[in-house]
């Protein structure tokens, strides 16, 4: 029987006694037709005298069976046990395999992937600079051939390359596909093999090889089982095979780069689906009228497929506006009813700017407004609906106007009452000579006499400007960004590996990590300080007597 005390901290003696055959040792003998394997489990209780006198109890998996091999054994090759795949290197199969390997090597090249990302970023910036989805006349006017941008860029380049719809243009989608292929190739050739190797037991049987690690230390009069117990308490997965030990922690940090690649593929796939598989459309509908969704939406790409929801009819129940104290428009609202093919209302909602309606994959946004008609009474007759037309003025202010003829409407020099409105609050009226006659609010029921006619402004009928779209790629993009944030954070976890070898009474221990390289030695030193020292009973008795004396 041996007693143990701390190896790296002599002043803190450990109260641990581990007999060679302790009742906690669990022995199982497994018989096999070809060979016998010997495996057992050690349960060690290490009393750590700290502030809380906490008791550490862990299990170490010990196995005398060989771990999964990392590489093909040389004996198999020398004995002629060549894998079947190597026998088919000649012929068409071998050519295809060599070609595919070469393609994967090219696609997984890091400079190529970085170049692809720069080109995609440039095209996205160009798509921001060039107005998207405008009518051809817009590009004829802004990119004329007689005054080309940068001396050569005209509307012909825009239409030829598809820069008027950049995000569904073949050149943009091709670059996304190429970057996706590079990510897949990198995952297949680099990340997956790293994960496969990281999950295997990797024992080192040479003390010199262990000392070549980033961190190494020799512990005289120590037990490799105690090293395993301490490492298990620190969260390591520990494996023992005879006098050798292998431990690792943070395998998720190895898995995270694959997750990052998958997240990027989701984002690009969702963006491609949005660009080539969506429907978009805009409509301005007066209050009280209807429209059918399918009559408004138009496809954006070759992947756009209509759904049954396109048969939905939308009725504009009411359009209203909110105003600031200064009289400026602050917000506008539209009360919408969605009707199925039988005319039954399936949904109703009042939308506003930044508060859209979503139904069966269709999103309806409130984007604009106008005044469609003015309802008046003339000499107590009517009401008459006068169509309002937008008038161009300087600046971004809106102005709408209409005209009520007075006298002979067939006269070539017809005159009448003019009515102007900036919003739905008030109507400004002018007589047939163009002189200001007064201002009336809709629904005020207050008449005004102009050129012998009594006019009452009953109502100003607004029109709602709506944008409709379907975007099947949005859930995919959101899932991709969520996965990207999560896997990016996980990728910062360190994947640490530790090897140890029992060399007589000395334990040689070493380790490395892919991140936190400055903190790793300090962490290892703290762990090694907890490993007890094995001393003879006689030596312990002499030391105890000297301390008592």
């Amino acid at each position: 029987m041996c007693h143990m005390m701390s190896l790296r901290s002599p002043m803190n003696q450990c109260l641990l006694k581990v007999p060679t055959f302790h009742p906690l040792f669990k022995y199982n003998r497994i018989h096999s037709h070809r060979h016998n394997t010997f495996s057992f489990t050690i349960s060690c209780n290490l009393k750590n005298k700290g502030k809380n006198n906490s008791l550490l109890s862990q299990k170490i998996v010990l196995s005398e069976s060989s771990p999964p091999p990392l590489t093909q054994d040389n004996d198999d090759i020398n004995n002629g046990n060549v894998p079947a795949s190597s026998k088919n290197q000649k012929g068409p199969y071998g050519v295809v395999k060599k070609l595919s390997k070469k393609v994967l090597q090219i696609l997984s090249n890091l400079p190529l992937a970085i170049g692809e990302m720069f080109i995609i970023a440039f095209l996205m910036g160009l798509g921001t600079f060039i107005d998207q989805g405008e009518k051809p006349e817009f590009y004829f006017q802004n990119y004329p051939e007689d005054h080309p941008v940068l001396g050569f860029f005209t509307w012909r380049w825009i239409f030829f390359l598809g820069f008027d719809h950049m995000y569904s243009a073949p050149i943009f989608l091709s670059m996304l596909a190429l970057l996706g292929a590079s990510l897949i190739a990198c995952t297949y050739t680099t990340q997956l093999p790293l994960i496969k190797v990281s999950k295997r037991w990797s024992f080192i049987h040479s003390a010199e090889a262990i000392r070549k690690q980033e961190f190494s230390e020799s512990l005289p009069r120590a037990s490799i089982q105690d090293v395993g117990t301490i490492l298990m308490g620190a969260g390591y997965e520990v494996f023992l095979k005879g006098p050798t030990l292998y431990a690792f922690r943070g395998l998720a940090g190895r898995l995270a780069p694959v997750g990052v690649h998958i997240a990027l593929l989701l984002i690009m796939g969702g963006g491609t689906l949005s660009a080539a598989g969506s429907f978009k459309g805009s409509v301005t509908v007066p209050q009280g009228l209807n429209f059918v969704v399918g009559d408004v939406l138009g496809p954006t790409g070759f992947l756009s497929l209509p759904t049954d929801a396109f048969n939905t009819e939308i009725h504009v129940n009411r359009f209203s506006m909110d105003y600031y104290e200064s009289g400026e428009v602050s917000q506008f609202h539209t009360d919408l009813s969605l009707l199925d093919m039988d005319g039954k209302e399936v949904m109703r909602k009042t939308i506003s700017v930044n508060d859209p309606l979503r139904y069966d994959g269709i999103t309806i946004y409130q984007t604009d407004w106008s005044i469609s008609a003015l309802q008046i009474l003339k000499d107590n007759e009517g009401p008459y609906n006068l169509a309002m037309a937008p008038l161009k003025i300087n600046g971004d202010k809106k102005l709408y106007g209409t005209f009520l003829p007075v006298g002979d409407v067939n006269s070539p020099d017809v005159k009448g009452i003019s009515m102007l409105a900036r919003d739905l609050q008030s109507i400004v009226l002018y007589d047939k000579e163009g002189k200001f006659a007064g201002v009336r609010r809709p629904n005020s029921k207050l008449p005004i006499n102009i050129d012998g006619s009594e006019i009452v402004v009953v109502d100003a009928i607004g029109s709602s400007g709506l944008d409709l779209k379907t975007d099947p790629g949005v859930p995919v993009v959101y899932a991709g960004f969520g996965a990207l944030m999560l896997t990016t954070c996980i990728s910062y976890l360190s994947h640490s590996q530790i090897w140890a070898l029992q060399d007589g009474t000395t334990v040689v221990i070493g380790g490395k990590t892919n991140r936190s390289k400055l903190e790793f030695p300090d962490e290892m030193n703290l762990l090694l300080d907890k490993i007890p020292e094995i001393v003879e009973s006689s030596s312990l008795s002499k030391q105890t007597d000297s301390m008592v004396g």
Side-chain angles (χ1 to χ4, degrees):
M1 180 181 297
C2 294
H3 297 278
M4 301 186 183
M5 58 185 178
S6 176
L7 176 66
R8 293 171 61 89
S9 299
M11 298 303 295
N12 298 326
Q13 296 186 356
C14 181
L15 303 176
L16 177 63
K17 297 181 179 180
V18 182
T20 305
F21 295 96
H22 194 274
L24 290 180
F25 278 69
K26 298 178 182 179
Y27 172 84
N28 296 312
R29 186 173 183 86
I30 303 173
H31 297 280
S32 176
H33 293 289
R34 295 186 178 180
H35 60 277
N36 293 330
T37 59
F38 177 74
S39 64
F40 57 93
T41 303
I42 295 179
S43 297
C44 297
N45 293 332
L46 177 63
K47 195 168 185 179
N48 183 13
K49 301 190 67 175
K51 294 181 179 180
N52 301 324
N53 292 327
S54 60
L55 185 63
L56 177 65
S57 178
Q58 299 290 346
K59 292 184 178 180
I60 305 176
V61 178
L62 301 179
S63 176
E64 290 296 332
S65 60
S66 299
L70 295 179
T71 58
Q72 180 73 26
D73 292 336
N74 292 331
D75 294 338
D76 293 339
I77 298 177
N78 295 332
N79 294 333
N81 297 327
V82 182
S85 59
S86 63
K87 299 179 180 180
N88 298 324
Q89 294 299 321
K90 297 181 180 180
Y93 178 79
V95 174
V96 172
K97 187 173 182 180
K98 183 179 294 186
L99 181 61
S100 61
K101 184 176 181 181
K102 185 67 174 178
V103 172
L104 286 174
Q105 184 180 1
I106 295 174
L107 288 176
S108 60
N109 184 267
L110 181 59
L112 175 63
I114 294 176
E116 293 164 357
M117 296 181 67
F118 271 108
I119 293 175
I120 292 174
F122 171 76
L123 292 176
M124 293 176 65
L126 196 60
T128 305
F129 176 77
I130 300 175
D131 295 87
Q132 301 291 296
E134 298 290 343
K135 295 180 179 180
E137 292 78 11
F138 174 84
Y139 302 102
F140 295 154
Q141 182 179 359
N142 290 274
Y143 303 93
E145 291 186 299
D146 52 349
H147 292 89
V149 178
L150 301 177
F152 72 95
F153 194 76
T154 65
W155 58 267
R156 293 185 181 275
W157 284 100
I158 293 177
F159 292 148
F160 177 73
L161 298 174
F163 286 174
D164 57 327
H165 51 280
M166 174 68 76
Y167 305 109
S168 59
I171 185 173
F172 185 79
L173 296 180
S174 298
M175 292 307 304
L176 285 181
L178 186 59
L179 179 59
S182 294
L183 288 174
I184 295 174
C186 179
T187 302
Y188 179 77
T189 60
T190 305
Q191 299 299 336
L192 292 181
L194 285 177
I195 294 174
K196 192 174 182 180
V197 171
S198 299
K199 291 174 65 177
R200 291 174 173 173
W201 303 353
S202 175
F203 296 101
I204 297 179
H205 301 275
S206 170
E208 293 299 324
I210 295 178
R211 290 190 178 96
K212 292 180 181 179
Q213 301 300 320
E214 298 174 0
F215 173 89
S216 63
E217 184 68 272
S218 296
L219 306 178
R221 297 190 301 276
S223 171
I224 198 168
Q225 284 83 3
D226 296 332
V227 174
T229 302
I230 297 298
L231 292 177
M232 286 291 290
Y236 282 84
E237 296 286 338
V238 180
F239 304 93
L240 281 173
K241 180 177 180 293
T244 60
L245 175 147
Y246 171 66
F248 69 86
R249 185 179 66 180
L251 185 60
R254 282 292 191 189
L255 298 172
V258 177
V260 171
H261 288 185
I262 295 175
L264 291 175
L265 290 174
L266 285 175
I267 294 172
M268 291 188 294
T272 301
L273 186 59
S274 295
S278 301
F279 286 85
K280 293 182 180 180
S282 300
V283 63
T284 300
V285 188
Q287 175 180 301
L289 297 185
N290 298 9
F291 68 94
V292 178
V293 171
D295 296 338
V296 176
L297 291 175
T300 61
F302 61 94
L303 297 177
S304 301
L305 297 175
T307 63
D308 294 338
F310 281 41
N311 296 321
T312 304
E313 187 176 7
I314 298 179
H315 178 72
V316 179
N317 299 310
R318 179 172 175 77
F319 176 77
S320 60
M321 305 175 70
D322 298 335
Y323 304 92
Y324 293 111
E325 294 182 357
S326 61
E328 297 290 332
V329 177
S330 64
Q331 181 65 281
F332 34 99
H333 314 267
T334 304
D335 182 13
L336 299 176
S337 289
L338 277 64
L339 313 175
D340 60 15
M341 297 182 65
D342 298 328
K344 181 181 178 181
E345 184 178 82
V346 295
M347 185 177 182
R348 182 168 182 173
K349 181 180 179 180
T350 299
I351 67 172
S352 59
V353 179
N354 298 325
D355 184 18
L357 181 150
R358 292 182 172 87
Y359 172 75
D360 201 9
I362 300 172
T363 306
I364 304 176
Y365 298 92
Q366 179 76 75
T367 57
D368 203 358
W369 65 272
S370 65
I371 304 176
S372 60
L374 194 64
Q375 194 174 76
I376 66 167
L377 293 174
K378 179 184 178 184
D379 298 328
N380 293 324
E381 295 181 356
Y384 302 102
N385 289 331
L386 304 178
M388 298 285 283
L391 305 176
K392 290 185 178 181
I393 59 175
N394 295 330
D396 297 331
K397 301 293 184 179
K398 291 187 176 184
L399 181 65
Y400 298 86
T402 189
F403 181 78
L404 178 63
V406 175
D408 186 7
V409 295
N410 296 321
S411 172
D413 190 20
V414 63
K415 293 184 179 181
I417 301 171
S418 300
M419 305 177 194
L420 301 178
R422 292 185 181 275
D423 49 47
L424 302 178
Q425 291 186 104
S426 58
I427 309 299
V428 182
L429 297 93
Y430 298 86
D431 62 17
K432 61 182 180 181
E433 301 298 331
K435 295 181 181 179
F436 174 74
V439 178
R440 290 293 183 269
R441 289 184 176 274
N443 300 312
S444 66
K445 300 181 181 180
L446 182 63
I448 182 173
N449 291 310
I450 304 175
D451 295 329
S453 300
E454 185 180 82
I455 305 297
V456 176
V457 179
V458 178
D459 195 9
I461 302 174
S463 292
S464 178
L466 305 173
D467 277 2
L468 289 76
K469 76 170 187 176
T470 65
D471 197 341
V474 167
V476 181
V477 172
Y478 283 177
F481 274 111
L484 181 63
M485 291 187 289
L486 178 62
T487 53
T488 300
C489 294
I490 295 176
S491 66
Y492 283 99
L493 297 177
S494 298
H495 177 243
S496 303
Q497 296 175 284
I498 296 176
W499 294 269
L501 177 65
Q502 184 81 55
D503 186 9
T505 60
T506 301
V507 173
V508 181
I509 185 170
K512 65 178 182 179
T513 184
N514 62 338
R515 302 186 189 277
S516 303
K517 294 184 179 295
L518 296 179
E519 294 82 0
F520 183 69
D522 295 335
E523 178 190 353
M524 288 297 300
N525 286 324
L526 290 176
L527 292 176
L528 298 182
D529 285 340
K530 300 178 181 179
I531 297 175
E533 178 185 5
I534 301 175
V535 296
E536 296 296 334
S537 299
S538 57
S539 299
L540 181 61
S541 300
K542 292 179 180 180
Q543 184 176 354
T544 304
D545 294 340
S546 62
M547 292 177 63
V548 173

